Amino acid sequence: VSAATPAEEMNGAGNLMDFLDEPFPDVGTYEDFHTIDWLREKSRDTDRHRKITSKSKESIWELIKSLLDAWSGWVVMLLIGLLSGTLAGVIDLAVDWMTDLKEGVCLSAFWYSHEQCCWTSNETTFDDRDKCPQWQKWAELMTGHAEGAGAYLLNYFLYILWALLFSFLAVSLVRVFAPYACGSGIPEVMLPLNIQVHSRPALKAAPYMIERIAHTARAGVVFHFLLVGRNNLLVFVQIKTILSGFIIRGYLGKWTLLIKTVTLVLAVSSGLSLGKEGPLVHVACCCGNLFCSLFSKYSKNEGKRREVLSAAAAAGVSVAFGAPIGGVLFSLEEVRQLLLPSEDSVAFLLRRPSRRLHAALHQPVWQHSRLVLFYVEYHTPWYMAELVPFILLGVFGGLWGTLFIRANIAWCRRRKTTQLGKYPVLEVIAVTGITAVLAFPNPYTRRSTSELISELFNDCGALESSQLCDYINNPNMSRPVDDIPDRPAGPGVYNALWQLALALVFKIVITIFTFGMKIPSGLFIPSMAVGAIAGRIVGIAVEQMAYHHHDWIIFKNWCRPGADCVTPGLYAMVGAAACLGGVTRMTVSLVVIMFELTGGLEYIVPLMAAAVTSKWVADAFGKEGIYESHIQLNGYPYLDVRDEFTHRTLATDVMRPRRNDPPLAVLTQDTTTVEDVETLIKDTDYNGFPVVVSRESERLIGFVQRRDLTLAIKNARQKQDGVVSSSVVYFTEDAPQLPASNPQPLKLRRILNLSPFTVTDHTPMETVVDIFRKLGLRQCLVTRSGRLLGIITKKDVLRHMAQMMNQDPESIMFN
């Protein structure tokens, strides 16, 4: 046994262990429902990269590890692309089969959809490609009669029954197994938490209890509460997106991925007015989170993880629409987070692998081989005079976007504030039943929305059999094979027009009540359907005007008798872009997505004219798109980069503590004991604490996170002998010499952030707001000549902005 030297006995060095020299688990991590510190995560990744680079020179093995680390981003994105593309392909096939299952079944192979069943039939003709003996409707299969009122009513009843079954299974699976799987996954998620309230009077204290819980989440969570039964308080936690830097355990987990995939198929197959493209962004992000756990570079750094998730969001759009470039722009325009450098390249590896899978299984000989969702091939260019109806479609899209947002928000507010919100299963079943009853009689609402959009986009070629192409042909007219002139509309076109008009009203109304229910639901395809229907109607009207009044001055210069002047399908495509832009307020990414999913590169100008007009018109009634409106409805504290702050206030007007407030909670660098720290943590709910030289000087040293402080003390008590409540906590480089009789000190300098972001008290708030937006800060400290004056958090910024706009500052935090 060796004896300690006198010097060691004096300062305790013989027993002193700065146990943070060896990292312990969970330091640097975040609690659930907390925001991440972007600057801190960036600094940690820089340190990690610096260590890897220095070690790579020591041995071949370290060099190989550094190369693997450098390539991990490419590997992760490739894996995300393969898995999300495969899932999208499976979802496509399953939706096609289950949608057709509502009407009939394939006798040769029940797992075949209607189209696949007739592909394999030798008795299918080109003209009647959708008819074959192997495919039978339910009435024909059960009764042997395919026609008649009885057969129609039986098919009608079974269509409704299948729709109700699919929607019931979807909402039940979401409600029981994965509450995070509901919605589109882009704007929000709702998590039910059960809190026992044993008496009605206890409800009076509920807001304070919930506010206390919400304080732990800081600027990221809003709680809504309502009484369920006699003593259960149901709390809904609203989150805009995990990509903003929030920690939401389970939101991107394996169970959510599984349930979202299954219920998405069920929800779309039920015939509800929703799409699967938006939720595929959530599915892709779940895939990204899954593969992040395989690489410590991303699993141990929340900032790097969000780079992958931003890229995964782009991958989701890519596999949904077959639009890799549009996916990247969507992530930049809508998500607005950092992207991996390799994302734009990897996106091309993702170019609709689901479409490749779909085509590889059963590709009909008459279909095109393009890998886009709605491929179009128009035979005539657009003319400058057509910008007038294109702009009018943009006006319609803006008005539709405004109507939808206001009506949907009003309905969602009613859902939150009435008994309706307590019965999500009944709401889904009721909306599904109404949808099925109204949709079946109209062939344009009975089919899937994607098929409807595809038919509306298509040009009327010589081989088209749709009633939208029922034109009267003049056999005496000579024309080239590929140049089909404008012709008078036949009875099929006029019949289709009134059916489309009814479908337009139906889609406008039912989509308002569908979006926001507790099932996976996207808004892209329903919005595009509304615009495509309106656009096709306008296109046919302009086409017939050009045919019957070709001598009018507006048509005289570009529309000759017998010429192919107007393409109604182009109007449908422009209308779809206008309505989608009016709802989401996207512009550049929307145009790119549209020309990528249709292949119509030469129609960028009409698409841009409609999209910009739609945004201008919609912005005239309100700046917020559907996602931003839901943020405001849910009281979500989100600092939007598009919000302008022009008021002449200073940091000192916003910082805390304010006049008559208690002093700022701080730690000193060498005089605070473990007991003092634990008491401060117990009595406050702050995310962190400034560290100063002394309470007299208030000279700022750094900032320490609450979670790191708690974990450090807990681990020290468990693993380090001699650490007691009276032990002094040191944030200095070296502990001073202490008598051997003193308790062993605890050195925590390694968890101290020595470079916290600071501003002076005279910094304009316009600059402070800009800093919070661009750097993703959780808080910044306010100083004067190095002396700590106060702190500004993200909540303080949001409250101040609300006050400047004459709003209740508390309304943005708690509803």
Side-chain angles (χ1 to χ4, degrees):
V1 180
S2 60
T5 63
E8 290 173 336
E9 291 178 356
M10 178 63 80
N11 59 22
N15 295 321
L16 179 63
M17 178 183 71
D18 181 6
F19 85 117
L20 280 178
D21 287 339
E22 297 181 4
F24 54 89
D26 293 332
V27 163
T29 60
Y30 301 88
E31 295 181 10
D32 205 7
F33 300 126
H34 273 227
T35 54
I36 70 172
D37 190 328
W38 289 94
L39 289 181
R40 183 189 187 199
E41 297 304 297
K42 177 64 176 178
S43 177
R44 291 177 59 196
D45 183 65
T46 301
D47 292 340
R48 181 197 62 83
H49 187 266
R50 187 183 297 112
K51 290 179 182 178
I52 291 177
T53 303
S54 61
K55 286 185 177 181
S56 64
K57 302 175 183 178
E58 298 176 359
S59 63
I60 297 297
W61 173 241
E62 294 294 338
L63 177 61
I64 294 174
K65 288 172 63 176
S66 68
L67 293 176
L68 292 175
D69 179 81
W71 278 86
S72 60
W74 290 89
V75 175
V76 168
M77 282 309 304
L78 181 60
L79 293 174
I80 292 172
L82 292 174
L83 180 57
S84 59
T86 302
L87 289 176
V90 171
I91 290 172
D92 273 354
L93 294 175
V95 166
D96 289 345
W97 172 63
M98 295 182 69
T99 299
D100 291 340
L101 192 62
K102 293 185 298 182
E103 299 189 47
V105 66
C106 184
L107 300 181
S108 59
F110 74 90
W111 57 88
Y112 279 179
S113 67
H114 187 178
E115 192 176 21
Q116 292 169 342
C117 185
C118 291
W119 290 347
T120 59
S121 175
N122 295 325
E123 303 175 47
T124 304
T125 63
F126 188 85
D127 292 333
D128 295 327
R129 68 195 77 170
D130 59 340
K131 297 180 181 179
C132 58
Q134 286 78 11
W135 177 265
Q136 290 189 3
K137 293 186 176 181
W138 291 112
E140 182 181 3
L141 182 65
M142 293 180 177
T143 64
H145 300 288
E147 304 293 337
Y152 181 86
L153 291 176
L154 181 58
N155 287 328
Y156 200 163
F157 172 76
L158 291 175
Y159 179 92
I160 297 173
L161 191 64
W162 279 111
L164 292 174
L165 176 63
F166 292 158
S167 63
F168 175 75
L169 289 175
V171 68
S172 299
L173 288 173
V174 168
R175 182 176 175 82
V176 175
F177 295 106
Y180 283 139
C182 71
S184 70
I186 297 176
E188 65 184 23
V189 66
M190 301 186 75
L191 171 66
L193 304 174
N194 284 322
I195 299 177
Q196 295 297 317
V197 181
H198 297 288
S199 64
R200 292 270 172 176
L203 278 178
K204 295 181 179 180
Y208 304 101
M209 174 179 63
I210 293 171
E211 183 172 351
R212 182 71 176 175
I213 298 172
H215 270 311
T216 65
R218 309 302 294 167
V221 181
V222 177
F223 291 80
H224 306 286
F225 46 90
L226 49 94
L227 191 66
V228 180
R230 297 188 62 182
N231 58 1
N232 284 327
L233 192 67
L234 189 61
V235 183
F236 290 108
V237 186
Q238 298 283 346
I239 309 294
K240 198 270 186 186
T241 174
I242 200 172
L243 295 180
S244 298
F246 295 108
I247 308 297
I248 313 174
R249 309 295 180 194
Y251 177 59
L252 301 177
K254 303 181 186 68
W255 197 242
T256 301
L257 174 62
L258 175 62
I259 298 300
K260 184 97 176 185
T261 302
V262 174
T263 55
L264 181 57
V265 173
L266 292 168
V268 176
S269 302
S270 68
L272 287 167
S273 184
L274 48 84
K276 60 182 180 295
E277 282 67 23
L280 281 176
V281 175
H282 189 187
V283 170
C285 287
C286 289
C287 297
N289 188 65
L290 175 66
F291 291 118
C292 278
S293 61
L294 304 179
F295 298 87
S296 60
K297 175 180 178 180
Y298 302 109
S299 63
K300 295 183 179 180
N301 190 295
E302 294 293 340
K304 295 297 291 182
R305 184 195 297 267
R306 271 146 189 79
E307 290 184 5
V308 173
L309 297 182
S310 295
V317 176
S318 178
V319 298
F321 294 107
I325 301 176
V328 176
L329 292 176
F330 171 84
S331 189
L332 284 169
E333 189 173 358
E334 265 311 297
V335 180
R336 294 188 289 276
Q337 293 296 330
L338 298 175
L339 300 178
L340 282 173
S342 60
E343 179 193 348
D344 53 347
S345 302
V346 175
F348 284 94
L349 298 176
L350 315 179
R351 187 170 179 84
R352 200 53 173 166
S354 59
R355 286 285 156 185
R356 292 186 183 275
L357 177 61
H358 196 292
L361 291 176
H362 298 289
Q363 176 83 16
V365 295
W366 56 78
Q367 281 195 344
H368 54 76
S369 60
R370 307 302 199 283
L371 300 179
V372 296
L373 189 59
F374 304 118
Y375 177 75
V376 296
E377 190 173 4
Y378 301 138
H379 299 86
T380 181
W382 64 277
Y383 296 90
M384 190 64 65
E386 290 182 286
L387 282 178
V388 175
F390 293 156
I391 291 175
L392 291 178
L393 285 173
V395 173
F396 171 80
L399 295 175
W400 145 250
T402 301
L403 170 66
F404 173 79
I405 291 172
R406 293 190 176 183
N408 181 252
I409 292 299
W411 177 251
C412 290
R413 184 178 290 111
R414 183 175 181 82
R415 180 189 291 130
K416 287 173 50 180
T417 57
T418 63
Q419 298 291 322
L420 180 64
K422 299 179 183 179
Y423 307 102
V425 176
L426 292 179
E427 181 191 8
V428 170
I429 291 177
V431 174
T432 303
I434 295 173
T435 302
V437 169
L438 297 178
F440 186 84
N442 192 334
Y444 290 109
T445 54
R446 186 190 312 173
R447 69 186 65 181
S448 70
T449 310
S450 296
E451 291 180 359
L452 171 62
I453 295 174
S454 181
E455 180 173 346
L456 295 173
F457 280 7
N458 281 340
D459 191 16
C460 285
L463 302 178
E464 290 293 335
S465 59
S466 169
Q467 66 174 353
L468 284 171
C469 299
D470 183 22
Y471 290 92
I472 300 175
N473 293 311
N474 184 357
N476 299 323
M477 185 178 295
S478 61
R479 59 181 183 271
V481 176
D482 293 331
D483 183 19
I484 301 176
D486 289 338
R487 298 156 290 168
V493 174
Y494 289 111
N495 186 49
L497 281 177
W498 72 262
Q499 289 178 340
L500 285 176
L502 293 177
L504 178 62
V505 175
F506 169 75
K507 286 288 184 181
I508 287 176
V509 175
I510 204 66
T511 305
I512 292 172
F513 297 97
T514 303
F515 186 72
M517 295 194 302
K518 302 303 178 289
I519 52 174
S521 58
L523 191 57
F524 283 13
I525 291 299
S527 300
M528 291 177 62
V530 170
I533 294 173
R536 188 76 185 205
I537 294 174
V538 172
I540 294 175
V542 173
E543 179 191 47
Q544 293 306 300
M545 287 176 60
Y547 176 80
H548 292 288
H549 305 283
H550 57 81
D551 55 341
W552 285 7
I553 188 171
I554 189 174
F555 302 117
K556 198 169 186 179
N557 294 330
W558 58 279
C559 195
R560 302 182 309 277
D564 186 11
C565 304
V566 180
T567 306
L570 173 60
Y571 286 73
M573 185 170 67
V574 172
C579 284
L580 184 55
V583 171
T584 64
R585 309 298 166 85
M586 294 189 299
T587 50
V588 178
S589 60
L590 170 62
V591 173
V592 174
I593 288 173
M594 288 300 299
F595 85 69
E596 281 194 285
L597 69 87
T598 60
L601 182 61
E602 63 272 26
Y603 302 107
I604 289 181
V605 174
L607 291 172
M608 182 59 78
V612 171
T613 303
S614 173
K615 179 175 173 57
W616 286 347
V617 172
D619 284 347
F621 296 94
K623 297 291 185 182
E624 299 81 14
I626 183 63
Y627 301 144
E628 291 78 13
S629 297
H630 273 272
I631 290 171
Q632 293 186 0
L633 170 68
N634 299 324
Y636 173 79
Y638 180 68
L639 197 57
D640 196 341
V641 297
R642 289 174 287 195
D643 291 338
E644 296 183 358
F645 186 88
T646 57
H647 304 282
R648 296 184 177 181
T649 52
L650 303 177
T652 187
D653 302 322
V654 182
M655 72 176 188
R656 290 180 296 157
R658 297 184 178 89
R659 188 176 301 173
N660 300 325
D661 283 352
L664 193 66
V666 299
L667 299 173
T668 57
Q669 67 175 357
D670 54 9
T671 60
T672 306
T673 65
V674 171
E675 183 180 13
D676 295 335
V677 175
E678 291 176 332
T679 301
L680 185 63
I681 292 174
K682 181 181 179 180
D683 294 342
T684 63
D685 50 25
Y686 305 126
N687 274 337
F689 305 95
V691 179
V692 296
V693 174
S694 66
R695 296 186 183 277
E696 292 75 22
S697 68
E698 294 287 342
R699 187 74 60 181
L700 180 64
I701 298 297
F703 191 85
V704 62
Q705 297 290 336
R706 176 194 187 93
R707 179 175 175 82
D708 291 353
L709 200 59
T710 303
L711 290 171
I713 294 176
K714 179 180 177 181
N715 279 268
R717 285 187 177 276
Q718 293 175 350
K719 299 179 180 179
Q720 187 176 351
D721 295 334
V723 174
V724 294
S725 296
S726 58
S727 298
V728 178
V729 178
Y730 286 94
F731 293 99
T732 56
E733 188 68 35
D734 298 309
Q737 293 183 351
L738 298 174
S741 59
N742 283 19
Q744 185 176 357
L746 178 61
K747 292 175 60 180
L748 298 182
R749 184 174 178 86
R750 288 193 59 183
I751 66 172
L752 179 65
N753 179 9
L754 295 171
S755 58
F757 201 93
T758 62
V759 296
T760 68
D761 55 335
H762 286 88
T763 303
M765 274 306 297
E766 183 179 2
T767 303
V768 174
V769 171
D770 206 32
I771 290 172
F772 269 87
R773 284 173 178 158
K774 294 181 178 178
L775 298 182
L777 298 181
R778 288 210 296 184
Q779 70 280 314
C780 73
L781 303 176
V782 182
T783 62
R784 179 191 294 170
S785 302
R787 182 174 178 270
L788 179 65
L789 296 181
I791 187 172
I792 299 177
T793 65
K794 187 177 182 181
K795 276 188 178 181
D796 296 327
V797 173
L798 288 163
R799 285 194 180 100
H800 182 67
M801 293 178 67
Q803 288 176 341
M804 293 296 100
M805 293 185 290
N806 297 320
Q807 298 176 358
D808 180 12
E810 294 303 320
S811 67
I812 65 168
M813 312 311 297
F814 311 108
N815 284 3

